[in-house]
Amino acid sequence: FEGMPTLSKEYPEARGNSYHSLKQEAIRAFISENYKDAADSFEAIRTLAKEQRETAQQGTDEHQAAIDVLKDPELLIFQNNAKVRERRQAEQPIYTIAAAVPLTNADKNPFPIGQEMLRGIAHVQDKAVNRSDQSMPPVNLEVIVVNDRNIPDQAIVSAKAILNYPERTVLAVVGHYTS
């Protein structure tokens, strides 16, 4: 699955802080099944970006890098997936859905509509996983991301991969775009 456990975005270094190295640290923790550290690392990336967005002068590379990080839905999905998997270690069930979206086109260039779709999915997952309403408990919603590249043949391959997801049953699929 594209996007699991690597992320497609690369971030430039800004103000001596490296989003890329923090991201790699988070990915290593996720792969090692150290989900608490992974969630903390993904959260640290977003916290650093929020601080940098507030302190960097608008129009600078540092300011734009912070905005790019905060707009990246994969970081939020991975942060929440790490939280969900940590809860799974505590014997709580996980409900898995797939997001079949075109993150890149046939030429492997970024496909903006796919990022927008993923932002919506990440937002809903974040609301479910981090629910603070005492009347309803959080939902352990894991999202796996599949890049169908908006190509019909790739969509078929993606659908078969989702059906054969090795870790658990995928309950639903959000997507495809037009493929």
Side-chain angles (χ1 to χ4, degrees):
F1 290 94
E2 193 163 324
M4 296 290 283
T6 60
L7 300 174
S8 62
K9 295 247 188 259
E10 297 296 327
Y11 303 108
E13 283 196 32
R15 292 185 135 199
N17 298 311
S18 173
Y19 292 119
H20 179 75
S21 64
L22 286 172
K23 178 178 70 172
Q24 294 306 313
E25 177 184 321
I27 290 168
R28 281 191 297 276
F30 193 95
I31 290 169
S32 300
E33 298 181 6
N34 189 344
Y35 300 121
K36 170 102 173 77
D37 286 350
D40 290 348
S41 294
F42 284 118
E43 186 172 346
I45 294 168
R46 293 178 54 79
T47 298
L48 176 63
K50 287 175 187 174
E51 291 170 1
Q52 189 166 313
R53 178 190 61 192
E54 298 303 317
T55 59
Q57 185 176 6
Q58 285 189 349
T60 63
D61 289 343
E62 293 86 6
H63 188 260
Q64 188 58 50
I67 290 171
D68 290 346
V69 167
L70 293 171
K71 290 173 72 176
D72 183 1
E74 288 180 316
L75 285 175
L76 187 56
I77 288 171
F78 266 86
Q79 179 181 340
N80 285 319
N81 282 353
K83 288 179 184 179
V84 165
R85 288 189 179 198
E86 182 181 10
R87 292 176 190 164
R88 166 86 175 181
Q89 291 174 332
E91 303 299 320
Q92 295 181 19
I94 292 179
Y95 304 98
T96 303
I97 66 169
V101 297
L103 296 175
T104 57
N105 63 17
D107 298 325
K108 298 187 179 181
N109 295 319
F111 197 69
I113 192 71
Q115 287 295 313
E116 292 301 322
M117 292 171 69
L118 210 51
R119 272 189 202 93
I121 294 163
H123 176 75
V124 170
Q125 180 199 29
D126 193 51
K127 293 289 186 192
V129 170
N130 298 302
R131 197 178 272 164
S132 60
D133 180 2
Q134 297 298 334
S135 66
M136 293 186 68
V139 176
N140 294 325
L141 182 63
E142 178 181 51
V143 176
I144 58 172
V145 180
V146 180
N147 182 5
D148 68 14
R149 296 177 39 208
N150 205 37
I151 301 171
D153 289 343
Q154 182 66 38
I156 292 168
V157 170
S158 297
K160 287 178 182 177
I162 292 167
L163 282 173
N164 296 314
Y165 185 59
E167 294 186 36
R168 62 192 129 273
T169 301
V170 175
L171 301 174
V173 178
V174 179
H176 300 266
Y177 178 54
T178 61
S179 52

